Amino acid sequence: MNTILVTGGTGYIGSHTTLALLQRGFHVVVLDNLCNSAAESLARVAQIANRAPEFVQGDIRDRALLTRLFAQHAI
């Protein structure tokens, strides 16, 4: 299964992108630090798509976190 990493995935554009990817059958990992958004947006996405993305709270600038994500997922 293809895995897509969406950074900023709880924001307006990111949540809509996440929804579209889920509806097309992709496994989606959302990385967001929630500085300008809320994780609740992903609950709405999951309700519409009938499946939830995987959510990771963190910052795109955290090199160790990115290394771990890329090791755990075939992104």
Side-chain angles (χ1 to χ4, degrees):
M1 176 183 302
N2 295 326
T3 300
I4 307 292
L5 175 64
V6 177
T7 60
T10 63
Y12 181 79
I13 295 170
S15 63
H16 283 78
T17 301
T18 297
L19 175 60
L21 290 167
L22 287 171
Q23 289 176 325
R24 285 163 181 78
F26 291 99
H27 177 253
V28 180
V29 176
V30 171
L31 173 64
D32 202 304
N33 63 9
L34 302 176
C35 71
N36 292 317
S37 57
E40 183 180 321
S41 64
L42 295 181
R44 290 188 292 255
V45 165
Q47 185 178 17
I48 295 167
N50 291 320
R51 58 195 207 105
E54 182 176 336
F55 175 66
V56 178
Q57 185 172 349
D59 198 291
I60 188 75
R61 299 170 292 179
D62 184 342
R63 179 174 240 125
L65 174 60
L66 289 178
T67 299
R68 199 166 59 249
L69 281 175
F70 287 120
Q72 292 173 347
H73 303 281
I75 295 172

